[in-house]
Protein backbone atom coordinates (compact mmCIF):
# COMPACT_ATOMS: atom_id res chain seq x y z
CA UNK A 1 0.00 0.00 0.00
CA UNK A 2 2.78 2.45 0.93
CA UNK A 3 4.65 1.58 -2.27
CA UNK A 4 1.78 2.73 -4.50
CA UNK A 5 1.54 6.19 -2.94
CA UNK A 6 5.27 6.70 -2.50
CA UNK A 7 6.25 7.47 -6.14
CA UNK A 8 3.64 10.26 -6.39
CA UNK A 9 4.78 11.76 -3.11
CA UNK A 10 8.42 11.49 -4.17
CA UNK A 11 7.67 13.17 -7.54
CA UNK A 12 5.83 15.98 -5.77
CA UNK A 13 8.70 16.46 -3.29
CA UNK A 14 11.21 16.42 -6.17
CA UNK A 15 9.12 18.97 -8.06
CA UNK A 16 8.95 21.23 -5.01
CA UNK A 17 12.71 20.99 -4.53
CA UNK A 18 13.26 21.75 -8.22
CA UNK A 19 10.95 24.77 -8.09
CA UNK A 20 12.71 26.09 -4.99
CA UNK A 21 16.13 25.56 -6.59
CA UNK A 22 15.02 27.25 -9.81
CA UNK A 23 13.60 30.27 -7.98
CA UNK A 24 16.72 30.63 -5.82
CA UNK A 25 18.92 30.39 -8.90
CA UNK A 26 16.74 32.85 -10.81
CA UNK A 27 16.86 35.42 -8.00
CA UNK A 28 20.63 35.27 -7.86
CA UNK A 29 21.12 35.10 -11.62
CA UNK A 30 18.78 37.98 -12.48
CA UNK A 31 20.30 40.06 -9.68
CA UNK A 32 23.78 39.58 -11.18
CA UNK A 33 22.79 39.81 -14.84
CA UNK A 34 19.39 41.08 -16.05
CA UNK A 35 20.11 39.45 -19.44
CA UNK A 36 20.70 35.96 -18.00
CA UNK A 37 19.38 33.10 -20.12
CA UNK A 38 17.10 30.23 -19.15
CA UNK A 39 19.98 27.86 -19.92
CA UNK A 40 22.20 29.66 -17.41
CA UNK A 41 19.45 29.57 -14.77
CA UNK A 42 18.83 25.84 -15.36
CA UNK A 43 22.55 25.17 -14.99
CA UNK A 44 22.76 27.20 -11.78
CA UNK A 45 19.68 25.45 -10.37
CA UNK A 46 21.13 22.04 -11.21
CA UNK A 47 18.19 21.06 -13.42
CA UNK A 48 17.76 20.41 -17.11
CA UNK A 49 16.08 22.83 -19.49
CA UNK A 50 13.13 20.45 -19.87
CA UNK A 51 12.58 20.53 -16.10
CA UNK A 52 12.95 24.31 -16.01
CA UNK A 53 10.46 24.84 -18.82
CA UNK A 54 8.16 22.22 -17.30
CA UNK A 55 7.76 24.45 -14.24
CA UNK A 56 8.17 27.88 -15.86
CA UNK A 57 7.00 27.97 -19.47
CA UNK A 58 8.93 31.09 -20.44
CA UNK A 59 11.54 33.50 -19.18
CA UNK A 60 8.82 36.07 -18.42
CA UNK A 61 6.87 33.55 -16.32
CA UNK A 62 10.04 32.75 -14.36
CA UNK A 63 10.81 36.45 -14.02
CA UNK A 64 7.36 37.12 -12.57
CA UNK A 65 7.77 34.21 -10.14
CA UNK A 66 11.18 35.53 -9.04
CA UNK A 67 9.69 38.98 -8.48
CA UNK A 68 6.93 37.37 -6.43
CA UNK A 69 9.59 35.60 -4.36
CA UNK A 70 11.48 38.85 -3.71
CA UNK A 71 8.27 40.70 -2.84
CA UNK A 72 7.42 37.86 -0.48
CA UNK A 73 10.56 38.83 1.44
CA UNK A 74 9.29 42.41 1.65
CA UNK A 75 5.91 41.17 2.83
CA UNK A 76 7.63 39.26 5.64
CA UNK A 77 9.51 42.47 6.50
CA UNK A 78 6.18 44.22 6.95
CA UNK A 79 5.58 41.89 9.87
CA UNK A 80 9.16 41.78 11.13
CA UNK A 81 9.90 45.51 11.34
CA UNK A 82 7.03 46.19 13.71
CA UNK A 83 4.92 48.41 11.48
CA UNK A 84 2.12 48.41 14.03
CA UNK A 85 4.46 49.75 16.73
CA UNK A 86 5.04 53.45 17.21
CA UNK A 87 4.25 56.33 14.88
CA UNK A 88 3.29 55.31 11.34
CA UNK A 89 5.77 57.69 9.72
CA UNK A 90 8.66 56.04 11.57
CA UNK A 91 7.29 52.58 10.74
CA UNK A 92 7.26 53.55 7.05
CA UNK A 93 10.86 54.75 7.26
CA UNK A 94 11.91 51.49 8.99
CA UNK A 95 10.13 49.50 6.31
CA UNK A 96 11.80 51.53 3.55
CA UNK A 97 15.25 50.92 5.03
CA UNK A 98 14.62 47.17 5.24
CA UNK A 99 12.89 47.09 1.86
CA UNK A 100 15.91 48.81 0.35
CA UNK A 101 18.11 45.93 1.53
CA UNK A 102 15.95 43.49 -0.46
CA UNK A 103 15.81 45.76 -3.51
CA UNK A 104 19.56 46.38 -3.37
CA UNK A 105 20.18 42.62 -3.53
CA UNK A 106 17.79 42.24 -6.45
CA UNK A 107 18.36 45.40 -8.51
CA UNK A 108 19.23 43.33 -11.59
CA UNK A 109 15.94 41.47 -11.20
CA UNK A 110 14.11 44.80 -11.22
CA UNK A 111 15.98 45.93 -14.35
CA UNK A 112 15.13 42.65 -16.09
CA UNK A 113 11.47 42.99 -15.08
CA UNK A 114 11.23 46.59 -16.27
CA UNK A 115 12.71 45.63 -19.63
CA UNK A 116 10.71 42.44 -20.17
CA UNK A 117 7.44 43.16 -18.38
CA UNK A 118 7.21 46.95 -18.10
CA UNK A 119 6.54 49.35 -15.24
CA UNK A 120 2.78 48.68 -15.10
CA UNK A 121 3.31 44.95 -14.60
CA UNK A 122 5.96 45.55 -11.95
CA UNK A 123 3.66 47.96 -10.14
CA UNK A 124 0.83 45.38 -10.19
CA UNK A 125 3.20 42.85 -8.63
CA UNK A 126 3.70 45.30 -5.75
CA UNK A 127 -0.05 45.56 -5.05
CA UNK A 128 -0.02 43.59 -1.78
CA UNK A 129 2.93 45.51 -0.35
CA UNK A 130 1.49 48.85 -1.48
CA UNK A 131 -1.87 48.04 0.11
CA UNK A 132 -0.11 47.66 3.44
CA UNK A 133 1.77 50.93 2.84
CA UNK A 134 -1.63 52.55 2.11
CA UNK A 135 -2.86 51.27 5.48
CA UNK A 136 0.17 52.73 7.25
CA UNK A 137 -0.31 56.08 5.52
CA UNK A 138 -3.98 56.10 6.53
CA UNK A 139 -3.08 55.29 10.16
CA UNK A 140 -0.41 57.99 10.22
CA UNK A 141 -2.80 60.57 8.80
CA UNK A 142 -5.50 59.73 11.34
CA UNK A 143 -2.99 59.90 14.20
CA UNK A 144 -1.44 63.16 12.99
CA UNK A 145 1.99 61.67 12.18
CA UNK A 146 1.69 61.97 8.39
CA UNK A 147 0.65 65.00 6.41
CA UNK A 148 -2.96 65.35 5.25
CA UNK A 149 -2.51 68.27 2.83
CA UNK A 150 -1.57 65.89 -0.02
CA UNK A 151 -3.59 62.92 -1.31
CA UNK A 152 -2.87 59.64 0.48
CA UNK A 153 -2.43 57.86 -2.86
CA UNK A 154 0.27 60.40 -3.77
CA UNK A 155 2.14 59.70 -0.54
CA UNK A 156 2.09 55.95 -1.25
CA UNK A 157 3.26 56.58 -4.82
CA UNK A 158 6.03 58.82 -3.47
CA UNK A 159 7.10 56.09 -1.06
CA UNK A 160 7.29 53.56 -3.91
CA UNK A 161 8.98 56.05 -6.23
CA UNK A 162 11.69 57.14 -3.80
CA UNK A 163 12.85 53.57 -3.15
CA UNK A 164 12.88 52.66 -6.84
CA UNK A 165 14.51 55.93 -7.87
CA UNK A 166 17.27 55.16 -5.38
CA UNK A 167 17.85 51.86 -7.20
CA UNK A 168 18.06 53.69 -10.54
CA UNK A 169 20.50 56.23 -9.10
CA UNK A 170 22.70 53.52 -7.59
CA UNK A 171 22.67 51.69 -10.94
CA UNK A 172 23.68 54.92 -12.70
CA UNK A 173 26.51 55.55 -10.23
CA UNK A 174 24.99 58.80 -8.94
CA UNK A 175 24.12 57.48 -5.48
CA UNK A 176 26.45 55.49 -3.24
CA UNK A 177 24.66 52.25 -2.41
CA UNK A 178 26.00 52.37 1.16
CA UNK A 179 24.31 55.76 1.62
CA UNK A 180 21.08 54.84 -0.13
CA UNK A 181 19.24 53.63 2.99
CA UNK A 182 19.93 56.88 4.84
CA UNK A 183 19.07 58.94 1.76
CA UNK A 184 15.75 57.13 1.34
CA UNK A 185 14.94 57.55 5.04
CA UNK A 186 15.71 61.29 5.04
CA UNK A 187 13.72 61.87 1.85
CA UNK A 188 10.69 59.99 3.16
CA UNK A 189 10.79 61.71 6.54
CA UNK A 190 10.63 65.03 4.73
CA UNK A 191 7.96 63.92 2.27
CA UNK A 192 5.67 62.48 4.95
CA UNK A 193 6.13 65.18 7.58
CA UNK A 194 3.19 67.33 8.54
CA UNK A 195 3.78 70.92 7.35
CA UNK A 196 4.78 73.57 9.84
Amino acid sequence: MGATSSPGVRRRADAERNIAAILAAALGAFARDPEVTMTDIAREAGVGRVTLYGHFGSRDVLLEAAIGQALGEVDVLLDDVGITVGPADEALVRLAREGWQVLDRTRGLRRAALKALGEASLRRQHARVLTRVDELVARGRSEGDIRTDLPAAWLTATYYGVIHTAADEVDAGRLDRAAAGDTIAATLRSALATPG
Side-chain angles (χ1 to χ4, degrees):
M1 188 160 135
T4 57
S5 63
S6 171
V9 171
R10 186 169 34 255
R11 274 194 297 274
R12 224 170 314 154
D14 289 346
E16 292 300 319
R17 277 193 299 277
N18 286 340
I19 290 168
I22 291 165
L23 284 173
L27 276 169
F30 281 121
R32 288 188 305 277
D33 177 10
E35 304 296 326
V36 69
T37 66
M38 291 289 271
T39 301
D40 293 334
I41 292 169
R43 188 178 311 116
E44 188 166 331
V47 301
R49 284 175 44 99
V50 171
T51 299
L52 175 62
Y53 279 102
H55 293 299
F56 301 97
S58 71
R59 187 175 186 273
D60 287 356
V61 169
L62 178 56
L63 190 52
E64 286 184 356
I67 293 164
Q69 183 96 350
L71 288 172
E73 288 183 44
V74 175
D75 205 33
V76 168
L77 286 174
L78 283 160
D79 296 323
D80 289 350
V81 299
I83 61 171
T84 58
V85 177
D89 58 338
E90 289 303 316
L92 280 166
V93 169
R94 285 195 309 275
L95 176 60
R97 279 182 180 279
E98 295 299 321
W100 165 252
Q101 299 304 316
V102 174
L103 180 56
D104 186 36
R105 286 196 316 272
T106 60
R107 286 194 332 267
L109 174 65
R110 178 175 176 269
R111 287 193 308 275
L114 285 170
K115 182 176 179 181
L117 308 174
E119 175 64 37
S121 175
L122 193 57
R123 175 91 183 200
R124 275 193 304 278
Q125 290 253 358
H126 283 77
R128 181 170 159 76
V129 171
L130 290 177
T131 295
R132 295 182 74 184
V133 171
D134 283 337
E135 292 166 359
L136 263 176
V137 169
R139 176 168 74 84
R141 287 163 62 101
S142 71
E143 294 173 355
D145 298 320
I146 293 177
R147 66 191 314 156
T148 57
D149 61 322
L150 296 174
W154 174 251
L155 296 177
T156 298
T158 300
Y159 177 91
Y160 175 86
V162 165
I163 295 170
H164 288 91
T165 299
D168 293 339
E169 292 299 293
V170 168
D171 286 343
R174 293 185 294 261
L175 177 62
D176 177 33
R177 64 185 289 269
D182 290 338
T183 302
I184 290 166
T187 303
L188 287 175
R189 276 196 185 93
S190 177
L192 298 170
T194 53

